[in-house]
Amino acid sequence: DAKTTQPTSMDCAEGRAANLPCNHSTISGNEYVYWYRQIHSQGPQYIIHGLKNNETNEMASLIITEDRKSSTLILPHATLRDTAVYYCIVRALGFSGGSNYKLTFGKGTLLTVNP
Amino acid sequence: DGGITQSPKYLFRKEGQNVTLSCEQNLNHDAMYWYRQDPGQGLRLIYYSQIVNDFQKGDIAEGYSVSREKKESFPLTVTSAQKNPTAFYLCASSIDKQGNEQFFGPGTRLTVL
C-alpha cells in the first residue's frame, strides 16, 4: 500500500469547515483513498472512501486531486464531537485470495475543534 | 441496534495468565478482524477470518489464538507467550471478505500486571 503523509495536528473553530489534507504521491492506479477517525479510547470509525472522483456522504466530503497524489477530507460544519484523530489510508480494493484485507493506520492528524 | 460489541471495556490480568477477549457482531458480516493498538501508534493486524471455521494470521499473531465457530463471534485469546500483552485491542468486521469498509467495536483495554 502507498505511504501517506498527514499533518500531526490541526485546529478548527466550531461551526467552521475542517479541511484535512493527505499526501499520497506514490498511489497506484488501483488504490483507493480511505478516511477513518478515532475518538479517544474508542474504535476507529469509517468516514468515506474514493478512487478518483470526489465523494460526499452524510459525514464528509472527499476531494481527490486530478493526479491523485493528494486528497482533502472536508467536514463542512465541525462540532466539538468531531475532535478525533483522522487517518488517511491508501489501499487497493481487496480481492479474494489477496493480502489487501488489512487496514494500515499511520499516526493520523489530531483535529481539535475549539468552541 | 446493529453493531459490534466487545467486552469487557477494561480487563486486568496477572502475568502468565491466558485471557480471552470477546467480540460479537450482529451485522451479518462475513469477515472479522483483530487489531492491536499501542499508545500513540497505529493499528496492527493480529488475526482475521473471512468465513466461519477459517482464520489467518496477521502481522503479529505470535502469542495469540482465535476461533471462529459462529459467524457472529470471533474471540481472541491472549496467551502467556505474548511478550507485551498490555494494549488496546480492537475487533472489526466487514460485510465482504476483502476487508473493504471495516466497522470497529469499542475496544478492550487489557492491562497485564
Side-chain angles (χ1 to χ4, degrees):
Chain A
D1 296 335
K3 182 178 166 55
T4 61
T5 303
Q6 299 177 252
T8 302
S9 63
M10 293 182 65
D11 286 313
C12 177
E14 189 177 17
R16 305 298 293 266
N19 299 304
L20 292 96
C22 180
N23 286 323
H24 32 78
S25 58
T26 60
I27 192 169
S28 301
N30 66 339
E31 288 182 315
Y32 284 67
V33 180
Y34 285 78
W35 283 85
Y36 281 75
R37 73 180 182 183
Q38 187 174 23
I39 295 169
H40 182 63
S41 292
Q42 295 184 22
Q45 177 188 22
Y46 165 82
I47 302 173
I48 200 168
H49 75 282
L51 182 63
K52 51 185 174 182
N53 296 324
N54 297 337
E55 302 286 344
T56 295
N57 63 21
E58 64 279 2
M59 287 184 69
S61 294
L62 173 61
I63 309 297
I64 302 174
T65 58
E66 195 169 336
D67 63 8
R68 304 208 322 122
K69 293 186 176 181
S70 66
S71 60
T72 301
L73 179 75
I74 301 172
L75 307 179
H77 305 286
T79 71
L80 298 179
R81 287 175 295 181
D82 291 321
T83 292
V85 177
Y86 287 77
Y87 296 98
C88 169
I89 299 164
V90 169
R91 74 191 279 268
L93 205 61
F95 57 93
S96 231
S99 60
N100 295 330
Y101 37 81
K102 67 180 176 183
L103 294 172
T104 301
F105 287 73
K107 300 210 175 159
T109 296
L110 172 60
L111 173 69
T112 302
V113 181
N114 301 305
Chain B
D1 279 339
I4 303 174
T5 56
Q6 291 184 244
S7 60
K9 188 165 178 62
Y10 298 96
L11 189 57
F12 296 88
R13 279 295 181 270
K14 290 184 180 178
E15 194 172 344
Q17 290 181 333
N18 291 356
V19 59
T20 297
L21 281 58
S22 163
C23 178
E24 305 278 329
Q25 54 101 359
N26 61 2
L27 300 166
N28 200 32
H29 285 178
D30 283 321
M32 297 185 75
Y33 313 81
W34 273 106
Y35 291 87
R36 168 185 171 136
Q37 187 174 34
D38 292 286
Q41 303 297 317
L43 277 64
R44 293 184 290 168
L45 182 67
I46 305 172
Y47 267 98
Y48 68 102
S49 168
Q50 294 177 304
I51 199 167
V52 174
N53 292 322
D54 186 56
F55 48 83
Q56 306 294 331
K57 292 181 180 180
D59 296 325
I60 54 164
E62 186 175 349
Y64 299 98
S65 66
V66 293
S67 63
R68 186 86 188 278
E69 296 176 3
K70 298 186 295 183
K71 187 175 185 177
E72 57 270 22
S73 178
F74 191 40
L76 173 76
T77 297
V78 184
T79 75
S80 56
Q82 168 48 234
K83 300 271 191 289
N84 296 296
T86 294
F88 189 43
Y89 290 88
L90 289 155
C91 179
S93 69
S94 61
I95 194 165
D96 62 32
K97 297 179 175 61
Q98 290 79 40
N100 304 308
E101 283 188 55
Q102 295 182 21
F103 294 87
F104 286 80
T108 292
R109 190 167 298 280
L110 172 65
T111 302
V112 176
L113 306 171

